[in-house]
Amino acid sequence: MTQAVAVAAFVVVFGGVGLVAIRHPLLARLAMREAIRRRAQSALVVMGLMIGAAGITASLVGADSSRDSAVLNGFRAWGMVDVTVTAGEGSFPADVATHLAEAPSLRPLFDGVQAGFEKVGSVSDLDRRQGEPAVRVIGFDPQTQRPFGPYVLADGTRTFGMDLAPETVLVSRQLAEALGARVGDHLRISVEQAGGARPVDVTVAGVARSVGPGAYGLRAAVFAPLATAQQIVGTDEINIVRISAKGGRED
């Protein structure tokens, strides 16, 4: 498409110049004579026009690339999540998600509604003796994960989380690289709570690739089934409801 536009612009510009030369031969001869007599000046003018055109083209390409990259990163960060319901820094009962999913006026608008929990904490790999601060702990409900897409693991397998054993989690590619973590490693996760941080030990069940829900947030993250996430945070409530609206595209 871009090549066709460039060819069309070339034909229009030089076709117009050729048409002027045919209709005004004296002007064409004068222009040709001046270009031949003052070759250095003519070359300088041509080079200046080329540099100016290249600069304008580069700025337009850069602006388009930045916009497209921002849109792509936004989509990757949120995936199939179109709307979130939160209560600021507070939490609320998990049945809020159920009420939203079953509301007759809202049901036709949603592909999926999921109760979840999101907190930031520190993670240490007890086997590799490596730690990472400011890790996002993302709790998801395996029973309602399907509309939001599967987690694609490093070995190519896909999971919605229903096959994860208790106290096992998935880690993002970024976190696995930072910790050197592997499947089977033991992690210690500490999340700040009202009564202070209470470390919880979990096991790595897989490394999620940065596609679909595995790219959620675009940062180092632990993806834990909701029951495990609530155990880590020390509550039976949630602090986010994720909503996938109808008409979204899949990754």
Side-chain angles (χ1 to χ4, degrees):
M1 183 65 180
T2 304
Q3 185 177 3
V5 172
V7 171
F10 179 87
V11 171
V12 170
V13 172
F14 286 92
V17 173
L19 182 62
V20 171
I22 292 173
R23 297 186 62 180
H24 303 281
L26 177 60
L27 180 61
R29 288 197 300 271
L30 289 174
M32 181 63 68
R33 186 182 64 182
E34 291 300 315
I36 294 174
R37 283 183 175 180
R38 295 176 173 84
R39 296 178 182 179
Q41 294 181 1
S42 299
L44 185 62
V45 170
V46 171
M47 290 177 62
L49 292 174
M50 290 176 61
I51 294 173
I56 294 173
T57 302
S59 64
L60 293 175
V61 170
D64 289 344
S65 299
S66 298
R67 181 193 61 193
D68 293 344
S69 297
V71 172
L72 178 60
N73 286 336
F75 176 73
R76 291 182 62 199
W78 288 100
M80 298 302 291
V81 178
D82 297 298
V83 181
T84 59
V85 179
T86 64
E89 297 297 324
S91 58
F92 45 87
D95 59 5
V96 171
T98 304
H99 293 326
L100 286 173
E102 296 178 351
S105 60
L106 299 178
R107 193 182 307 165
L109 305 176
F110 299 157
D111 278 334
V113 178
Q114 181 183 91
F117 216 104
E118 296 185 16
K119 280 283 189 178
V120 176
S122 60
V123 177
S124 300
D125 190 318
L126 303 180
D127 298 280
R128 312 296 165 190
R129 298 184 180 276
Q130 295 289 333
E132 191 72 14
V135 175
R136 198 170 181 179
V137 179
I138 299 173
F140 67 96
D141 184 1
Q143 301 297 327
T144 57
Q145 180 62 29
R146 187 168 294 274
F148 298 89
Y151 288 92
V152 182
L153 305 185
D155 60 3
T157 60
R158 297 169 177 259
T159 179
F160 291 101
M162 290 180 287
D163 56 341
L164 295 180
E167 299 181 358
T168 62
V169 300
L170 305 175
V171 297
S172 68
R173 177 185 58 81
Q174 295 92 331
L175 181 59
E177 291 177 352
L179 297 177
R182 301 176 184 174
V183 175
D185 281 6
H186 299 86
L187 304 182
R188 178 161 293 169
I189 305 177
S190 298
V191 175
E192 192 64 33
Q193 305 172 19
R198 182 174 62 87
V200 175
D201 293 346
V202 296
T203 304
V204 177
V207 177
R209 294 179 180 175
S210 297
V211 295
Y216 185 79
L218 292 179
R219 59 181 292 183
V222 171
F223 304 104
L226 185 56
T228 302
Q230 290 173 326
Q231 179 183 353
I232 293 172
V233 179
T235 182
D236 59 356
E237 295 189 324
I238 62 175
N239 70 350
I240 189 170
V241 176
R242 305 182 188 98
I243 298 173
S244 177
K246 285 189 177 296
R249 64 171 185 170
E250 295 185 3
D251 190 38

